[in-house]
Amino acid sequence: MSSITAKAGELRALETLSGKNTAIHRLAPGVKIAATLAFIVVCASFGRYEFFRLVPYLFFPFIMMALAELPYRLLLTRTLIALPFCLFAGLANVFYDRAAAFSVYGIAVSFGTLSLLTILLKTYLCVMAALLLAATTPFVEITASLRRAHLPTAFVMIFETTYRYTGVLLEEVHSMTTAYRLRSGTKKALDMRHMGSFLGQLVLRGFDRAERVHAAQRCRGYSLRRIPPPRRKLRLSDAAYLAAVCIPAALLRFVALY
Amino acid sequence: MHMADALLSPAVGIAMDAVAVAAIGYSAAKVKKDELSDKKIPLIGVAGAMVFAGQMINFTIPGTGSSGHIGGGILLAGLLGGFPAFLAITAVLIIQCLFFADGGLLALGCNIFNMGVIPCLLVYPLLFKPLISKNLGAKRLSIASIIAVIVGLEVGAFAVVLETTASGITELPFGTFSGLMLPIHLAIGSIEGVVTAGVLCFVYKMRPEIISSATGGQRLTGVPVKKPLIALVCLTLVVGGALSIFASSNPDGLEWAMGKTSAEELEADNAVANGAAAVQDSTAFLPDYALASDPENPVGTTVSGLVGAGITFALAAAAGLGISAVKKRKKASVSA
């Protein structure tokens, strides 16, 4: 059950990181979102065996982590979460695609192994790109740019409240599970027959809490249809960043270095 | 069941993203039409957070010793109704992707479709609601939950297989992949179904009005279905079409899928590909080190590949470490 506090900590860790003040953090959020999406699409477009051509893309996460002063270890461990499913799909390639691609000092490397490596590298690059976005852009700025992109207000509101309440409810779940554990002796997990009422309680508690919070907010003049914050003028640094990410990414897609 | 960017081709990923955006727009319009939306939106948000928090709770599955956790599409739909539940699940998936590295940004469309559109917008109105429309009670609610969760998960798992196969990144044959995914999700679905039934029955016992209001005012009126549907189809065709041209210049994606069935590779006979190949030939700086005797070898120049990749990796790491060191020194000199 300690995973619950760990999860809440993870959420808070990224939020804390996004509050830093570096050149990357100061960039316009829309520009960062666009560059991240472009980077991911280009990475995903590489073929199954193009492991070597993907390696230069490692410049992006490495340089970004350094410029934004982010902790290497935290982001690295977080990317590991994404690996199991990709590893499963990639391992299948090792068994189904056994023809030798090349050999290094007599050790044959099969196409399957090569495609497994490609999948793992792609996973790392794509996951890092998304994490870097979250770690360098405060949540309010992400939602503000979603509003400016004319996503439906109702959806942006739901997105915001879900994020805010996640932290709150993780704490609620933590105290509920602790209480359950103390009541039930040494049990590490809930009995399945208790799940219905346990989660049901969480549902009712959550609804009540949300209603109370919302009523209190309304009393203080809060409205759901908030006007989006004024559009921040694009600076030269924003354009430079976009160019510095997109142009090399596109060039490396079409031109092989080696 | 979260799909990752690394297993998707851009054509499949972006086409599914377009579908997801259309579904979000349509559902948001439906929720907005609801008179009580201002009061309801925080409830939808908190419900999404509940699914998230609920996923953290491990429970023991009787007789197996292993533990499971809940997914949530049908649970949310039962509590809120189809459209609000879909928006809540979408929010959860985006947060999982951005903050917890669970699923990718490009794959968001696929994940939203598999875990949001299928249970909330298809299984819920077509299966769950008809099942509980008459004599709503604990027994019917339980049966409907279990069936709906299982069907939703199975269809979702099948969609994962289809999307992965269409992307052509993994070598797993379609039959084997389905043979693995479907039974696993049948097992997961029956457990999740029982838990979902437990939760919905508990809420129904304590506050019956929550369940009955969710199933009540969700008739398809007020918002035109036709326009978004046409827009959705056009968008998918345009995006899918444009990207498959791009995809066909690479030996992956759709061509791979076709190559598999016809047992022969299609020639990449296209101006972009030829142009790119010409540029590539003229600019490669370690050109003729290929060991492989097969000129068609997609790995190409192996030694140059290994050496080049090694050097590039070292350079990238050095660049990152160098910048960090300079920054640290600057900070130290400022504080001193």
Side-chain angles (χ1 to χ4, degrees), chain B residues 180-206:
Chain B
L180 280 169
M181 287 289 278
L182 297 183
I184 291 174
H185 284 88
L186 182 68
I188 296 174
S190 32
I191 303 280
E192 198 186 312
V194 171
V195 173
T196 304
V199 180
L200 288 179
C201 286
F202 180 82
V203 174
Y204 182 67
K205 222 188 284 168
M206 306 299 279

Side-chain angles (χ1 to χ4, degrees), chain A residues 14 36 40 60 125-135, chain B residues 5 97-99 101 103-105:
Chain A
L14 276 197
T36 305
I40 290 175
F60 177 71
L125 290 170
C126 294
V127 168
M128 273 305 278
L131 281 178
L132 283 169
L133 176 68
Chain B
D5 288 345
C97 155
L98 276 180
F99 297 92
L105 269 179

Side-chain angles (χ1 to χ4, degrees), chain A residues 138-204:
Chain A
F139 190 75
V140 276
E141 287 193 16
I142 295 180
T143 50
S145 45
L146 291 183
R147 280 204 175 86
R148 282 195 291 261
H150 298 291
L151 251 81
T153 323
F155 173 68
V156 180
M157 281 302 310
I158 290 168
F159 181 50
E160 258 172 355
T161 38
T162 305
Y163 178 77
R164 293 291 164 219
Y165 276 111
T166 298
V168 175
L169 285 189
L170 279 176
E171 279 165 20
E172 190 92 46
V173 166
H174 180 61
S175 56
M176 283 171 75
T177 44
T178 309
Y180 181 90
R181 211 177 53 232
L182 292 174
R183 286 197 303 271
S184 62
T186 52
K187 272 182 194 161
K188 280 188 179 153
L190 265 88
D191 279 351
M192 197 170 137
R193 64 200 159 95
H194 296 149
M195 268 304 271
S197 55
F198 191 88
L199 272 179
Q201 283 289 1
L202 182 69
V203 168
L204 298 182

Side-chain angles (χ1 to χ4, degrees), chain A residues 41 45, chain B residues 9-16 106 236-250 252 254:
Chain A
V41 169
S45 74
Chain B
S9 71
V12 176
I14 295 178
M16 295 306 285
L106 179 65
T236 311
L237 285 178
V238 169
V239 173
L243 280 161
S244 53
I245 293 167
F246 179 67
S248 70
S249 65
N250 306 302
D252 64 347
L254 300 169

Side-chain angles (χ1 to χ4, degrees), chain A residues 7 10 40 48 66-67 69 72 78 89 92-93 101-102 114 123 152 190 203 208 214 224-225 253 255 257, chain B residues 6 28 38 50 56 58-60 99-100 168-172 207 250 256 283 285 297 299 302 320 324 327 331:
Chain A
K7 267 288 192 249
E10 277 178 27
I40 290 175
R48 281 187 293 161
L67 284 178
E69 299 170 13
Y72 292 77
R78 193 123 350 147
N93 289 4
F102 59 88
L114 200 60
T123 308
L190 265 88
V203 168
D208 288 345
H214 186 63
L224 290 179
R225 321 244 168 262
R253 178 68 190 85
V255 182
L257 280 182
Chain B
D38 266 20
M50 266 166 345
M56 300 290 106
N58 287 319
F59 56 86
T60 42
F99 297 92
F100 298 103
I169 307 289
T170 169
E171 273 277 346
L172 263 181
R207 303 247 194 105
N250 306 302
W256 174 80
T283 50
F285 75 78
N297 186 349
V299 187
T302 50
S324 293
K327 281 204 151 203
K331 268 195 184 157

